[in-house]
Amino acid sequence: MARINLSNNNLSGSLPSSIGSLTRLNSLELYNNKISGILPYTIGRMHTLRYIYIYSNQFTGNIPDSVCMLNNLISFDIYNNNFTGKIPECLVQKPFFGELYMHNNQIEDLPDFSSKYQMGLTVYNNKLTFEDIEPNMPLVGFICSVCYQNFAPQHDSINNAIDTTVLSGSSFSMLCSIGGEHNIYQWTKNGIDIPWAVDSIITFDNVTASDSGVYSCNITNAVVPVLTFHRQPITLHVNPVSNIGINKLLIPFCRAYLNPTTNILNIEFTSQNSTFVKCKLINVIGSCIINQNLKDGKAQIDMSNLPAGIFILKIEAANKVYDYKIVKQ
């Protein structure tokens, strides 16, 4: 058996692509070093390779699809690294593949290995969701009463934080987006459960000042025990002003005119951060009609071809979102 064992040697640097020339190697053992960089694509040329032990290093990047060319692969131990992306789907088809230890990485996508009932699989401390874990629950190592650590915890903070201001009396929806077929949602306001808010999306049809607060959502799953995900907070401010006109946008460095308008809406920003400001025009059914960045602190929205009615001007500035009513005559 041809074998390379350079484990526990404090090795650093990256693996050269020339490693693929070791076409008669049976076992590659480089664990417990400081090797960084990507796993070379040329590893797929090592057709006799059965064991890859590269755990406890500093590898980054995606797992190359070329590992699927390793028809004799049995064990692939990559835990305690910084791998990202997905585990190649083709590994499911390998007839003798039976061990994947990938915990403590940044992996975001996991295939369905449930056909390999006896497979050893550890995935905790990655960026997987219920969508990845549900299909793999039949695996022996996942269902034992003391093996929750095989899939939990995960990086549990999902979606982006939002800080937004909306008009009193308007409609506002909040979304929690996460994969999984058996998810259970529970929204909270200021850390307290909202009894009726048990879906992935909640809507306020008529926002009032009392709806102001910090919202989040806790997500569990009916077939995946222990694991819980938390939506990053949505901070909702309610603006009691229902009829905003010229120079009444409640941002110190912003003014919009003319409002009401018949054709052109001008927006001006004087903040030093004006280059990072975006504006969107939303119709009453929530569709984005216009989406543009500011240029030199100014934006001009042509509304001449839009029907008369009420629109929402959404301004994204300094990591906050502001909504204001615009009237087209």
Side-chain angles (χ1 to χ4, degrees), residues 116-176:
K116 298 181 177 298
Y117 184 67
Q118 298 290 334
M119 179 180 176
L121 178 65
T122 60
V123 302
Y124 60 89
N125 285 337
N126 279 282
K127 294 184 176 181
L128 304 175
T129 68
F130 295 122
E131 183 178 27
D132 306 290
I133 297 172
E134 279 181 352
N136 289 292
M137 288 304 294
L139 292 171
V140 171
F142 266 30
I143 61 176
C144 67
S145 60
V146 295
C147 292
Y148 294 138
Q149 68 271 21
N150 284 356
F151 58 84
Q154 296 291 326
H155 178 72
D156 71 355
S157 184
I158 61 171
N159 305 144
N160 293 324
I162 296 174
D163 190 321
T164 186
T165 300
V166 301
L167 289 174
S168 177
S170 63
S171 176
F172 181 71
S173 295
M174 291 182 280
L175 173 66
C176 180

XYZ file of all heavy atoms in Angstrom, residues 116-176:
474
model
N -26.721 5.645 2.002
C -25.572 4.999 2.640
C -25.851 4.932 4.145
O -25.267 5.679 4.936
C -24.302 5.793 2.327
C -23.973 5.842 0.836
C -22.695 6.602 0.576
C -22.334 6.575 -0.890
N -22.080 5.211 -1.401
N -26.720 4.022 4.521
C -27.302 3.998 5.854
C -26.254 3.937 6.960
O -26.414 4.553 8.012
C -28.255 2.808 5.955
C -29.008 2.728 7.259
C -29.954 3.698 7.590
C -28.761 1.695 8.159
C -30.651 3.631 8.785
C -29.448 1.625 9.356
C -30.391 2.586 9.669
O -31.068 2.518 10.849
N -25.176 3.214 6.738
C -24.159 3.023 7.769
C -23.039 4.060 7.702
O -22.046 3.955 8.423
C -23.549 1.620 7.639
C -24.542 0.489 7.833
C -25.012 0.379 9.280
O -24.309 0.779 10.198
N -26.198 -0.178 9.485
N -23.169 5.053 6.848
C -22.101 6.021 6.626
C -21.793 6.835 7.882
O -22.691 7.223 8.627
C -22.501 6.965 5.492
C -21.488 8.039 5.183
S -22.071 9.091 3.841
C -20.752 10.305 3.803
N -20.527 7.102 8.112
C -20.122 8.002 9.178
C -20.115 9.431 8.665
O -19.420 9.742 7.696
N -20.875 10.305 9.284
C -21.019 11.681 8.801
C -21.134 12.625 9.987
O -22.019 12.476 10.833
C -22.260 11.802 7.917
C -22.590 13.188 7.352
C -21.503 13.648 6.389
C -23.948 13.176 6.644
N -20.235 13.595 10.060
C -20.347 14.646 11.071
C -20.323 15.991 10.355
O -19.447 16.242 9.520
C -19.196 14.585 12.088
O -17.942 14.755 11.422
C -19.202 13.255 12.836
N -21.274 16.860 10.686
C -21.432 18.108 9.938
C -21.591 19.326 10.843
O -21.828 20.430 10.348
C -22.649 18.019 8.984
C -22.502 16.866 8.022
C -23.958 17.908 9.773
N -21.475 19.190 12.141
C -21.758 20.307 13.037
C -20.767 21.456 12.829
O -19.667 21.281 12.314
C -21.772 19.853 14.496
C -20.489 19.255 15.026
C -19.505 20.052 15.589
C -20.278 17.886 14.981
C -18.332 19.506 16.085
C -19.108 17.319 15.476
C -18.133 18.136 16.020
O -16.971 17.587 16.507
N -21.211 22.634 13.259
C -20.426 23.867 13.118
C -20.060 24.163 11.663
O -18.891 24.364 11.308
C -19.162 23.817 13.982
C -19.449 24.013 15.454
O -20.469 24.593 15.817
N -18.566 23.523 16.303
N -21.089 24.169 10.821
C -20.982 24.631 9.449
C -22.090 25.651 9.211
O -22.626 26.224 10.161
C -21.078 23.459 8.469
C -19.765 22.717 8.319
O -18.859 23.165 7.623
N -19.646 21.568 8.984
N -22.454 25.885 7.957
C -23.524 26.821 7.623
C -24.673 26.095 6.932
O -25.295 26.602 6.007
C -22.991 27.946 6.735
C -21.990 28.857 7.436
C -21.571 30.019 6.557
C -20.641 30.963 7.307
N -20.235 32.132 6.467
N -24.966 24.900 7.415
C -26.050 24.095 6.859
C -27.372 24.501 7.495
O -27.414 25.086 8.575
C -25.786 22.615 7.111
C -24.444 22.072 6.587
C -24.263 20.627 7.016
C -24.362 22.204 5.075
N -28.481 24.183 6.806
C -29.809 24.422 7.358
C -30.582 23.106 7.371
O -30.060 22.049 7.000
C -30.574 25.482 6.546
O -30.872 24.958 5.242
C -29.748 26.757 6.405
N -31.840 23.177 7.778
C -32.671 21.971 7.831
C -32.786 21.302 6.471
O -32.958 20.086 6.378
C -34.065 22.330 8.355
C -34.071 22.818 9.774
C -34.577 24.059 10.097
C -33.569 22.029 10.797
C -34.583 24.513 11.406
C -33.568 22.464 12.115
C -34.078 23.714 12.415
N -32.720 22.074 5.415
C -32.793 21.535 4.065
C -31.695 20.503 3.816
O -31.900 19.519 3.097
C -32.681 22.680 3.057
C -32.813 22.282 1.611
C -32.734 23.480 0.696
O -32.101 24.488 1.083
O -33.295 23.419 -0.412
N -30.537 20.718 4.401
C -29.413 19.802 4.235
C -29.486 18.622 5.202
O -29.087 17.504 4.865
C -28.091 20.544 4.469
C -27.953 21.772 3.594
O -27.778 21.618 2.384
O -28.030 22.894 4.138
N -29.985 18.871 6.402
C -29.908 17.871 7.471
C -31.089 16.902 7.440
O -30.926 15.698 7.697
C -29.815 18.582 8.833
C -28.512 19.396 8.878
C -29.861 17.586 9.983
C -28.395 20.291 10.079
N -32.282 17.389 7.104
C -33.472 16.523 7.073
C -33.248 15.227 6.302
O -33.543 14.137 6.820
C -34.658 17.272 6.464
C -35.382 18.201 7.391
C -36.552 18.887 6.703
O -36.691 18.748 5.462
O -37.317 19.542 7.393
N -32.770 15.276 5.048
C -32.642 14.034 4.276
C -31.661 13.041 4.880
O -31.765 11.832 4.623
C -32.148 14.519 2.900
C -32.492 15.958 2.842
C -32.376 16.451 4.254
N -30.722 13.522 5.673
C -29.685 12.645 6.212
C -30.016 12.083 7.592
O -29.206 11.337 8.162
C -28.361 13.406 6.273
C -27.770 13.653 4.894
O -27.343 12.727 4.221
N -27.760 14.903 4.466
N -31.183 12.389 8.121
C -31.541 11.900 9.446
C -31.602 10.368 9.545
O -31.344 9.813 10.617
C -32.884 12.505 9.877
C -32.817 13.987 10.227
S -31.602 14.376 11.508
C -32.319 13.556 12.921
N -31.915 9.627 8.457
C -31.914 8.150 8.578
C -30.550 7.544 8.824
O -30.453 6.366 9.196
C -32.471 7.688 7.219
C -33.272 8.844 6.712
C -32.513 10.061 7.172
N -29.475 8.289 8.630
C -28.150 7.740 8.873
C -28.012 7.304 10.330
O -28.468 7.990 11.240
C -27.077 8.774 8.539
C -26.932 9.143 7.056
C -25.997 10.327 6.896
C -26.418 7.957 6.257
N -27.369 6.178 10.538
C -27.248 5.605 11.876
C -26.657 6.606 12.866
O -27.136 6.763 13.983
C -26.395 4.320 11.829
C -26.068 3.842 13.246
C -27.129 3.237 11.064
N -25.620 7.307 12.465
C -24.954 8.227 13.368
C -25.770 9.448 13.718
O -25.431 10.170 14.650
N -26.854 9.715 12.974
C -27.673 10.896 13.227
C -28.834 10.629 14.162
O -29.391 11.552 14.733
C -28.222 11.419 11.894
C -27.362 12.493 11.274
C -26.008 12.526 11.476
C -27.934 13.465 10.479
C -25.218 13.504 10.917
C -27.152 14.457 9.905
C -25.790 14.473 10.126
N -29.256 9.380 14.299
C -30.490 9.115 15.026
C -30.259 8.589 16.441
O -31.198 8.441 17.197
C -31.382 8.111 14.261
C -30.652 6.769 14.081
C -31.803 8.674 12.922
C -31.516 5.702 13.405
N -29.009 8.292 16.813
C -28.784 7.798 18.171
C -29.010 8.917 19.188
O -28.802 10.094 18.899
C -27.380 7.214 18.307
S -26.050 8.406 18.177
N -29.428 8.578 20.356
C -29.880 9.572 21.329
C -28.777 10.488 21.813
O -29.044 11.563 22.336
C -30.510 8.856 22.533
O -29.556 8.001 23.149
N -27.525 10.087 21.681
C -26.415 10.907 22.180
C -25.614 11.532 21.052
O -24.509 12.019 21.277
C -25.475 10.062 23.069
C -26.207 9.598 24.316
C -24.901 8.882 22.289
N -26.154 11.532 19.825
C -25.362 11.975 18.670
C -25.839 13.291 18.074
O -25.581 13.561 16.907
C -25.378 10.896 17.588
S -24.490 9.398 18.043
N -26.537 14.092 18.850
C -26.981 15.368 18.322
C -25.795 16.217 17.859
O -25.902 17.024 16.953
C -27.770 16.133 19.375
C -29.068 15.476 19.760
C -29.465 15.417 21.098
C -29.895 14.903 18.806
C -30.647 14.804 21.473
C -31.082 14.275 19.175
C -31.455 14.235 20.504
O -32.625 13.627 20.867
N -24.644 16.024 18.482
C -23.489 16.819 18.114
C -23.018 16.525 16.692
O -22.195 17.248 16.148
C -22.337 16.588 19.094
C -21.723 15.196 19.051
C -22.394 14.223 19.984
O -23.537 14.447 20.385
N -21.710 13.153 20.340
N -23.519 15.463 16.066
C -23.123 15.155 14.699
C -23.670 16.180 13.704
O -23.118 16.331 12.612
C -23.597 13.760 14.294
C -22.734 12.674 14.926
O -21.753 12.972 15.595
N -23.097 11.426 14.712
N -24.772 16.856 14.049
C -25.320 17.854 13.134
C -25.619 19.189 13.808
O -26.000 20.155 13.146
C -26.595 17.333 12.458
C -27.690 16.937 13.414
C -28.555 17.884 13.920
C -27.861 15.616 13.779
C -29.568 17.530 14.792
C -28.882 15.246 14.643
C -29.734 16.210 15.153
N -25.457 19.271 15.117
C -25.730 20.518 15.830
C -24.579 20.811 16.781
O -23.961 19.895 17.333
C -27.041 20.399 16.619
N -24.254 22.127 16.920
C -24.984 23.268 16.350
C -24.507 23.599 14.937
O -23.554 23.009 14.442
C -24.612 24.404 17.314
C -23.197 24.052 17.723
C -23.168 22.553 17.820
N -25.194 24.569 14.309
C -24.785 25.168 13.053
C -24.662 26.672 13.263
O -25.051 27.198 14.302
C -25.813 24.882 11.947
C -25.960 23.423 11.580
C -24.729 22.864 10.874
O -24.064 23.570 10.120
N -24.430 21.588 11.120
N -24.119 27.352 12.267
C -24.125 28.819 12.296
C -25.591 29.237 12.223
O -26.229 29.114 11.174
C -23.347 29.372 11.115
C -23.333 30.862 11.031
N -22.598 31.647 11.900
C -23.964 31.720 10.200
C -22.772 32.917 11.591
N -23.596 32.991 10.567
N -26.156 29.695 13.337
C -27.613 29.776 13.443
C -28.205 31.140 13.154
O -29.403 31.342 13.304
C -28.072 29.307 14.830
C -27.722 30.288 15.942
O -27.034 31.285 15.659
O -28.148 30.057 17.080
N -27.412 32.111 12.760
C -27.924 33.448 12.478
C -28.186 33.567 10.985
O -27.254 33.518 10.178
C -26.921 34.504 12.930
O -27.431 35.797 12.755
N -29.460 33.693 10.602
C -29.823 33.660 9.187
C -30.435 34.988 8.739
O -30.915 35.774 9.542
C -30.813 32.514 8.894
C -32.109 32.705 9.693
C -30.181 31.164 9.224
C -33.206 31.751 9.298
N -30.409 35.209 7.426
C -30.945 36.412 6.786
C -30.197 37.662 7.265
O -29.359 37.596 8.164
C -32.453 36.542 7.001
C -33.224 35.310 6.538
O -34.210 34.930 7.145
N -32.774 34.663 5.485
N -30.514 38.782 6.672
C -29.827 40.034 7.009
C -30.614 40.826 8.045
O -31.849 40.817 8.049
C -29.650 40.888 5.757
C -28.690 40.256 4.769
O -27.714 39.633 5.163
N -28.967 40.412 3.483
N -29.890 41.530 8.891
C -30.543 42.452 9.819
C -31.130 43.621 9.034
O -30.565 44.049 8.028
C -29.544 42.946 10.859
N -32.276 44.115 9.489
C -32.970 45.215 8.809
C -33.347 46.268 9.834
O -33.845 45.942 10.918
C -34.233 44.715 8.082
C -33.857 43.730 6.970
C -35.033 45.881 7.502
C -35.069 43.086 6.303
N -33.115 47.515 9.500
C -33.578 48.644 10.308
C -34.384 49.527 9.370
O -33.832 50.146 8.457
C -32.389 49.400 10.895
C -32.807 50.425 11.943
O -33.841 51.079 11.736
O -32.093 50.568 12.948
N -35.696 49.559 9.548
C -36.552 50.213 8.559
C -37.609 51.095 9.214
O -38.029 50.846 10.349
C -37.246 49.166 7.663
O -37.966 49.810 6.610
C -38.199 48.298 8.459
N -38.003 52.126 8.497
C -39.070 53.028 8.929
C -40.204 52.968 7.918
O -39.963 53.074 6.710
C -38.559 54.475 9.036
O -37.483 54.523 9.990
C -39.665 55.423 9.475
N -41.427 52.768 8.401
C -42.591 52.706 7.516
C -43.640 53.707 7.980
O -43.619 54.181 9.116
C -43.194 51.284 7.473
C -42.166 50.272 6.986
C -43.716 50.870 8.846
N -44.555 54.006 7.085
C -45.614 54.954 7.393
C -46.729 54.318 8.200
O -47.121 53.176 7.950
C -46.206 55.513 6.099
C -45.326 56.477 5.293
C -46.012 56.807 3.987
C -45.058 57.737 6.099
N -47.241 55.042 9.154
C -48.427 54.604 9.884
C -49.570 54.402 8.896
O -49.793 55.212 8.002
C -48.812 55.645 10.934
O -49.987 55.263 11.604
N -50.264 53.263 9.034
C -51.385 52.960 8.145
C -51.013 52.160 6.927
O -51.896 51.686 6.203
N -49.720 51.958 6.695
C -49.290 51.192 5.527
C -49.241 49.709 5.848
O -49.399 49.287 6.998
C -47.926 51.678 5.049
O -46.940 51.454 6.045
N -49.021 48.901 4.817
C -48.871 47.459 4.985
C -47.388 47.121 5.006
O -46.591 47.698 4.258
C -49.561 46.723 3.834
O -49.345 45.335 3.924
N -47.013 46.179 5.869
C -45.604 45.823 5.993
C -45.489 44.332 6.277
O -46.213 43.780 7.095
C -44.943 46.623 7.122
C -43.483 46.336 7.289
C -42.565 46.767 6.349
C -43.024 45.629 8.396
C -41.213 46.508 6.501
C -41.671 45.373 8.564
C -40.766 45.815 7.608
N -44.569 43.667 5.559
C -44.356 42.229 5.730
C -42.928 41.953 6.161
O -41.995 42.666 5.774
C -44.647 41.485 4.420
O -46.009 41.599 4.059
N -42.753 40.889 6.945
C -41.436 40.443 7.387
C -41.277 38.981 7.017
O -42.187 38.175 7.203
C -41.273 40.636 8.893
C -41.187 42.089 9.312
S -40.945 42.324 11.092
C -42.626 42.101 11.670
N -40.103 38.646 6.480
C -39.858 37.313 5.954
C -38.685 36.661 6.665
O -37.670 37.287 6.939
C -39.560 37.382 4.446
C -39.116 36.088 3.763
C -40.252 35.069 3.772
C -38.654 36.363 2.336
N -38.840 35.365 6.941
C -37.751 34.533 7.442
C -37.523 33.444 6.405
O -38.389 32.595 6.187
C -38.123 33.933 8.795
S -36.846 32.893 9.483
